[in-house]
Amino acid sequence: MSKTRYKNQKESNEAIAKAYIENDYTNSQNKLLLVSKANYRKKSSNLCYSSVDDKGMNFYEFNNNAEQNLMLIERYEWADFSSVTIDHSIAKSVFTFVGHGENRDITIEVKGKEVEQVIRNHSSMEVNVVKRPVWTKVLGYRSQTTWKMFMASTVYTLILLFILNALLPASTHNFITGLSLFLFLLSIIGFLVGLIKPKWVLPKFKVKTRKRVLFSYLYLILSCLFIVGIFSDEESTSTPASTQVSSSQNSVTVASKKDVADSSKQKVEKNDSDKAVKEEKRQKAEEQAAKEEAKRKAEEQAAKEEAKRKAEEQAAKEEAKQKAEEQAAKEKAEQKAQEQAAKEEAKQKAEEQAAKEKAEQKAQEQAAKEEAERKAQQQAASQQATTSSSTSSSGNYKPFENDPSDDQQSNMSCSGQIKGNKNSKIYHVPGGAYYDRTQDNIVWFCSEADAQAAGYRESQR
């Protein structure tokens, strides 16, 4: 944003500052709300502007002679302060921010009420507004300094008298002048008496001192002098005019005595010229009034259109913000729904997995139970076969147990095929994995039933 560009466009400093600040906020996450002139800390030769957004304030220093007109010098965040005291006047507002560190005094011109509303809407600060009577907000009365109030009262009185002089008819000027002279004499008397006894001339004042008498009656004396000076001007200027008229009438009378015909002709021509001049003046005044009226209407129309445009822009921004919030809420709701569905699906899978494992466990238990029952049945059948075999054989049968060092079958009434290990109580059949390996502690049996009857169990391999 160069100085040359704005100089060529003949823009005001405020327009340059506003354009720069709006450009500065283009890529910012903060929302720019308003721009105003400001007095930052101490007085400076350069102008200062403040930008107010929803999170805080930026302060810029304006230098018309620099290459970059506006420079950011500091930023305040609303979150850094706990409270603010606001003192509004007619032309400016003083903000005193109170935080954890040093307090900050900032003066905002014209837009103090708007800044106060932003602070109330976008921060959690405690807002304290200084309550003052309306007259103390006027320039010159804010500080309540006696000499400043005296000067301000004198200036405002002078301005008011000029306005009254233009509004009041000339017939009342003599009366106002006479009354002012009378009040002037009374003021002088009251001033002299008050210097001796202030209570006599200050009946309704709480502070009755000679200083109060000095400022009060000096103000009255000056006001009376202003009235006399302003309202007697017209009389002094009107006297030469009347004298000039009377002299011109005398000259006309003398001339008429010389030549009645010529004077009559000149008088008619003069009246015609006066009428033409008056008519021309009247037409010019009407044209000027029409131009001013048209200009005023054009300005009002432009102001209305500008206000309407700003209102539409604000409405569009608020609508876009509302849509963005609704979209964000919708996406958040969808995300929560997806998370909930995922949780429910995971829970359902876990329950199915648990049910499946439980069913498998029951199936294994059932298979183990059936296997146990089958083995029990086989055991019962073997015992029954052993019993029948022992019943058919002679008396008390005792299997042959050979010498542990001898693994050969001998002295058996039958051809033994079953080899048992006396220590492990396991028997092996021919073709088994451990049949040939079993060489010590051998007991021979004629059948598996004999081995099982003797308390041996079958090898698994």
Side-chain angles (χ1 to χ4, degrees):
M1 185 170 295
S2 64
K3 180 178 69 175
T4 307
R5 172 189 170 190
Y6 288 112
K7 187 175 181 181
N8 293 337
Q9 292 179 352
K10 296 181 180 180
E11 290 184 333
S12 64
N13 292 340
E14 188 169 358
I16 296 173
K18 187 175 181 182
Y20 179 90
I21 291 172
E22 288 177 351
N23 184 62
D24 193 26
Y25 272 82
T26 302
N27 298 323
S28 175
Q29 296 180 353
N30 301 329
K31 180 181 179 182
L32 179 62
L33 300 176
L34 59 94
V35 177
S36 174
K37 285 185 180 179
N39 185 1
Y40 171 72
R41 288 186 177 175
K42 57 186 178 181
K43 293 183 179 178
S44 173
S45 58
N46 296 326
L47 292 173
C48 289
Y49 289 89
S50 67
S51 64
V52 181
D53 54 62
D54 54 344
K55 299 294 176 56
M57 301 174 70
N58 286 347
F59 290 93
Y60 301 85
E61 189 175 41
F62 187 90
N63 187 354
N64 200 28
N65 297 322
E67 184 65 25
Q68 182 172 325
N69 299 113
L70 221 63
M71 185 189 316
L72 178 64
I73 53 178
E74 192 163 354
R75 175 172 175 80
Y76 293 159
E77 297 285 345
W78 301 137
D80 294 339
F81 303 101
S82 58
S83 64
V84 60
T85 301
I86 307 173
D87 188 4
H88 291 297
S89 64
I90 293 177
K92 62 183 180 180
S93 300
V94 179
F95 292 75
T96 302
F97 292 93
V98 179
H100 303 293
E102 181 183 357
N103 295 348
R104 304 293 187 186
D105 291 331
I106 299 164
T107 301
I108 302 294
E109 296 187 9
V110 181
K111 298 182 179 181
K113 294 281 187 180
E114 298 178 18
V115 176
E116 176 190 348
Q117 193 62 35
V118 170
I119 294 174
R120 291 183 183 275
N121 293 339
H122 297 278
S123 74
S124 59
M125 279 189 287
E126 179 184 355
V127 180
N128 302 312
V129 180
V130 178
K131 294 183 179 180
R132 292 177 176 270
V134 177
W135 65 274
T136 60
K137 297 183 180 181
V138 180
L139 184 64
Y141 293 94
R142 284 174 47 81
S143 62
Q144 297 293 294
T145 305
T146 306
W147 70 269
K148 288 184 178 180
M149 292 192 293
F150 175 79
M151 294 298 295
S153 300
T154 304
V155 172
Y156 293 147
T157 301
L158 191 59
I159 294 172
L160 179 62
L161 290 176
F162 277 113
I163 295 173
L164 291 176
N165 182 42
L167 296 177
L168 294 176
S171 58
T172 62
H173 291 185
N174 290 334
F175 173 76
I176 293 173
T177 303
L179 181 62
S180 300
L181 290 173
F182 177 70
L183 292 176
F184 174 74
L185 295 175
L186 290 180
S187 298
I188 292 177
I189 296 171
F191 175 73
L192 297 174
V193 174
L195 293 178
I196 302 171
K197 290 288 184 181
K199 295 182 180 180
W200 290 0
V201 295
L202 298 172
K204 293 185 178 181
F205 287 87
K206 293 182 180 180
V207 181
K208 300 178 181 180
T209 61
R210 289 181 177 85
K211 183 178 179 181
R212 174 69 72 178
V213 172
L214 176 65
F215 281 104
S216 300
Y217 280 88
L218 187 59
Y219 167 71
L220 290 175
I221 291 170
L222 289 176
S223 299
C224 293
L225 289 176
F226 289 154
I227 293 172
V228 173
I230 292 172
F231 284 89
S232 62
D233 263 348
E234 210 169 300
E235 293 179 0
S236 61
T237 55
S238 64
T239 302
S242 61
T243 305
Q244 186 177 0
V245 171
S246 59
S247 61
S248 62
Q249 289 177 353
N250 293 331
S251 61
V252 171
T253 305
V254 174
S256 63
K257 290 180 180 179
K258 293 179 180 179
D259 195 353
V260 177
D262 293 339
S263 65
S264 299
K265 185 177 181 181
Q266 290 176 359
K267 191 174 181 179
V268 171
E269 291 177 354
K270 185 178 181 180
N271 290 335
D272 292 339
S273 63
D274 290 342
K275 287 182 180 180
V277 170
K278 289 181 180 179
E279 184 66 22
E280 185 178 357
K281 287 182 178 180
R282 185 182 64 79
Q283 289 180 356
K284 287 183 178 180
E286 289 178 353
E287 290 177 358
Q288 184 66 23
K291 288 181 180 179
E292 291 178 355
E293 182 67 18
K295 183 179 179 181
R296 184 182 63 82
K297 288 183 178 180
E299 291 175 351
E300 290 179 354
Q301 183 66 23
K304 287 180 180 179
E305 291 177 355
E306 180 68 16
K308 184 178 179 181
R309 183 183 63 80
K310 288 184 177 179
E312 291 176 351
E313 290 179 355
Q314 184 66 21
K317 288 181 180 178
E318 291 178 355
E319 185 178 357
K321 182 180 178 181
Q322 184 179 2
K323 287 184 178 179
E325 291 176 351
E326 291 176 355
Q327 182 66 20
K330 186 177 179 181
E331 292 177 355
K332 190 174 181 180
E334 290 178 354
Q335 183 179 0
K336 285 185 177 180
Q338 291 175 358
E339 290 176 356
Q340 184 66 22
K343 287 181 180 179
E344 291 178 356
E345 185 177 356
K347 184 178 178 182
Q348 184 178 0
K349 287 183 178 180
E351 291 175 353
E352 291 177 354
Q353 183 67 21
K356 185 177 180 181
E357 291 177 356
K358 190 173 181 181
E360 290 178 355
Q361 184 180 0
K362 286 184 178 180
Q364 291 176 359
E365 291 176 355
Q366 184 66 22
K369 186 176 179 181
E370 291 176 354
E371 181 67 18
E373 290 178 355
R374 185 182 63 79
K375 286 185 178 181
Q377 291 176 359
Q378 289 178 356
Q379 184 72 20
S382 298
Q383 289 178 358
Q384 186 177 2
T386 303
T387 303
S388 61
S389 174
S390 61
T391 302
S392 61
S393 62
S394 60
N396 296 324
Y397 169 77
K398 183 178 180 180
F400 171 78
E401 181 178 348
N402 68 331
D403 187 354
S405 63
D406 183 13
D407 62 347
Q408 299 297 321
Q409 177 181 0
S410 63
N411 300 324
M412 290 292 293
S413 59
C414 64
S415 179
Q417 297 294 325
I418 307 302
K419 184 189 290 186
N421 189 316
K422 184 179 180 180
N423 292 335
S424 63
K425 294 292 183 179
I426 297 174
Y427 68 88
H428 305 277
V429 297
Y434 295 98
Y435 186 84
D436 294 331
R437 294 183 185 182
T438 303
Q439 297 178 358
D440 298 324
N441 301 317
I442 300 174
V443 177
W444 295 97
F445 298 96
C446 294
S447 64
E448 290 186 33
D450 293 342
Q452 292 174 0
Y456 287 75
R457 64 179 180 83
E458 182 182 4
S459 174
Q460 299 297 323
R461 298 179 65 181

